PDB file of all heavy atoms in Angstrom:
ATOM      1  N   ARG I  53     177.632  80.707 130.791  1.00  0.00           N
ATOM      2  CA  ARG I  53     177.785  81.170 132.256  1.00  0.00           C
ATOM      3  C   ARG I  53     176.574  81.294 132.992  1.00  0.00           C
ATOM      4  O   ARG I  53     176.586  81.043 134.155  1.00  0.00           O
ATOM      5  CB  ARG I  53     178.317  82.626 132.095  1.00  0.00           C
ATOM      6  CG  ARG I  53     179.821  82.781 131.522  1.00  0.00           C
ATOM      7  CD  ARG I  53     180.238  84.117 131.379  1.00  0.00           C
ATOM      8  NE  ARG I  53     179.280  84.939 130.488  1.00  0.00           N
ATOM      9  CZ  ARG I  53     179.199  86.273 130.476  1.00  0.00           C
ATOM     10  NH1 ARG I  53     179.806  87.014 131.307  1.00  0.00           N
ATOM     11  NH2 ARG I  53     178.315  86.877 129.660  1.00  0.00           N
ATOM     12  N   ASP I  54     175.361  81.416 132.243  1.00  0.00           N
ATOM     13  CA  ASP I  54     174.136  81.415 132.904  1.00  0.00           C
ATOM     14  C   ASP I  54     173.618  80.062 133.487  1.00  0.00           C
ATOM     15  O   ASP I  54     172.788  79.922 134.295  1.00  0.00           O
ATOM     16  CB  ASP I  54     173.022  81.964 132.081  1.00  0.00           C
ATOM     17  CG  ASP I  54     173.350  83.438 131.450  1.00  0.00           C
ATOM     18  OD1 ASP I  54     173.775  84.226 132.349  1.00  0.00           O
ATOM     19  OD2 ASP I  54     173.106  83.674 130.360  1.00  0.00           O
ATOM     20  N   ARG I  55     174.342  78.984 132.973  1.00  0.00           N
ATOM     21  CA  ARG I  55     173.998  77.618 133.299  1.00  0.00           C
ATOM     22  C   ARG I  55     174.772  77.153 134.542  1.00  0.00           C
ATOM     23  O   ARG I  55     174.593  76.035 135.135  1.00  0.00           O
ATOM     24  CB  ARG I  55     174.107  76.693 132.201  1.00  0.00           C
ATOM     25  CG  ARG I  55     173.287  77.081 130.972  1.00  0.00           C
ATOM     26  CD  ARG I  55     173.484  76.120 129.778  1.00  0.00           C
ATOM     27  NE  ARG I  55     172.784  76.455 128.615  1.00  0.00           N
ATOM     28  CZ  ARG I  55     171.528  76.235 128.371  1.00  0.00           C
ATOM     29  NH1 ARG I  55     170.825  75.533 129.178  1.00  0.00           N
ATOM     30  NH2 ARG I  55     170.977  76.617 127.258  1.00  0.00           N
ATOM     31  N   ALA I  56     175.706  78.012 135.006  1.00  0.00           N
ATOM     32  CA  ALA I  56     176.571  77.584 136.138  1.00  0.00           C
ATOM     33  C   ALA I  56     175.820  77.539 137.400  1.00  0.00           C
ATOM     34  O   ALA I  56     174.887  78.289 137.714  1.00  0.00           O
ATOM     35  CB  ALA I  56     177.621  78.652 136.307  1.00  0.00           C
ATOM     36  N   ASN I  57     176.026  76.433 138.236  1.00  0.00           N
ATOM     37  CA  ASN I  57     175.487  76.327 139.491  1.00  0.00           C
ATOM     38  C   ASN I  57     176.181  77.130 140.521  1.00  0.00           C
ATOM     39  O   ASN I  57     177.152  77.813 140.286  1.00  0.00           O
ATOM     40  CB  ASN I  57     175.518  74.854 139.893  1.00  0.00           C
ATOM     41  CG  ASN I  57     174.648  73.867 139.067  1.00  0.00           C
ATOM     42  OD1 ASN I  57     173.521  74.274 138.792  1.00  0.00           O
ATOM     43  ND2 ASN I  57     175.172  72.782 138.749  1.00  0.00           N
ATOM     44  N   GLY I  58     175.549  77.239 141.760  1.00  0.00           N
ATOM     45  CA  GLY I  58     176.289  77.948 142.765  1.00  0.00           C
ATOM     46  C   GLY I  58     175.725  79.369 143.096  1.00  0.00           C
ATOM     47  O   GLY I  58     176.343  80.050 143.901  1.00  0.00           O
ATOM     48  N   VAL I  59     174.643  79.703 142.267  1.00  0.00           N
ATOM     49  CA  VAL I  59     174.118  81.073 142.641  1.00  0.00           C
ATOM     50  C   VAL I  59     173.174  81.017 143.877  1.00  0.00           C
ATOM     51  O   VAL I  59     172.430  80.120 144.001  1.00  0.00           O
ATOM     52  CB  VAL I  59     173.196  81.475 141.433  1.00  0.00           C
ATOM     53  CG1 VAL I  59     172.563  82.853 141.640  1.00  0.00           C
ATOM     54  CG2 VAL I  59     174.072  81.526 140.144  1.00  0.00           C
ATOM     55  N   ASP I  60     173.485  81.937 144.767  1.00  0.00           N
ATOM     56  CA  ASP I  60     172.617  82.031 146.024  1.00  0.00           C
ATOM     57  C   ASP I  60     171.364  82.766 145.687  1.00  0.00           C
ATOM     58  O   ASP I  60     171.325  83.894 145.300  1.00  0.00           O
ATOM     59  CB  ASP I  60     173.473  82.892 146.982  1.00  0.00           C
ATOM     60  CG  ASP I  60     172.835  82.840 148.449  1.00  0.00           C
ATOM     61  OD1 ASP I  60     171.863  81.928 148.616  1.00  0.00           O
ATOM     62  OD2 ASP I  60     173.153  83.633 149.263  1.00  0.00           O
ATOM     63  N   TRP I  61     170.264  82.016 145.721  1.00  0.00           N
ATOM     64  CA  TRP I  61     168.956  82.560 145.455  1.00  0.00           C
ATOM     65  C   TRP I  61     168.253  82.996 146.647  1.00  0.00           C
ATOM     66  O   TRP I  61     168.107  82.355 147.680  1.00  0.00           O
ATOM     67  CB  TRP I  61     168.137  81.403 144.703  1.00  0.00           C
ATOM     68  CG  TRP I  61     168.612  81.053 143.401  1.00  0.00           C
ATOM     69  CD1 TRP I  61     169.777  80.526 143.016  1.00  0.00           C
ATOM     70  CD2 TRP I  61     167.775  81.031 142.226  1.00  0.00           C
ATOM     71  NE1 TRP I  61     169.778  80.287 141.619  1.00  0.00           N
ATOM     72  CE2 TRP I  61     168.633  80.515 141.178  1.00  0.00           C
ATOM     73  CE3 TRP I  61     166.434  81.407 141.880  1.00  0.00           C
ATOM     74  CZ2 TRP I  61     168.195  80.436 139.824  1.00  0.00           C
ATOM     75  CZ3 TRP I  61     166.002  81.227 140.587  1.00  0.00           C
ATOM     76  CH2 TRP I  61     166.881  80.721 139.541  1.00  0.00           C
ATOM     77  N   VAL I  62     167.370  84.081 146.457  1.00  0.00           N
ATOM     78  CA  VAL I  62     166.442  84.564 147.341  1.00  0.00           C
ATOM     79  C   VAL I  62     165.113  84.786 146.597  1.00  0.00           C
ATOM     80  O   VAL I  62     165.118  85.524 145.679  1.00  0.00           O
ATOM     81  CB  VAL I  62     166.844  85.891 148.100  1.00  0.00           C
ATOM     82  CG1 VAL I  62     165.684  86.411 148.891  1.00  0.00           C
ATOM     83  CG2 VAL I  62     168.129  85.648 148.888  1.00  0.00           C
ATOM     84  N   GLY I  63     164.105  83.936 146.875  1.00  0.00           N
ATOM     85  CA  GLY I  63     162.836  84.044 146.197  1.00  0.00           C
ATOM     86  C   GLY I  63     162.559  82.678 145.529  1.00  0.00           C
ATOM     87  O   GLY I  63     163.064  81.691 145.981  1.00  0.00           O
ATOM     88  N   PRO I  64     161.589  82.601 144.534  1.00  0.00           N
ATOM     89  CA  PRO I  64     161.177  81.394 144.073  1.00  0.00           C
ATOM     90  C   PRO I  64     162.423  80.528 143.510  1.00  0.00           C
ATOM     91  O   PRO I  64     163.381  81.051 142.961  1.00  0.00           O
ATOM     92  CB  PRO I  64     160.374  81.811 142.864  1.00  0.00           C
ATOM     93  CG  PRO I  64     159.801  83.189 143.235  1.00  0.00           C
ATOM     94  CD  PRO I  64     160.863  83.782 143.970  1.00  0.00           C
TER      95      PRO I  64
END
Side-chain angles (χ1 to χ4, degrees):
R53 295 174 298 158
D54 300 319
R55 301 180 187 275
N57 292 318
V59 180
D60 187 15
W61 289 56
V62 174

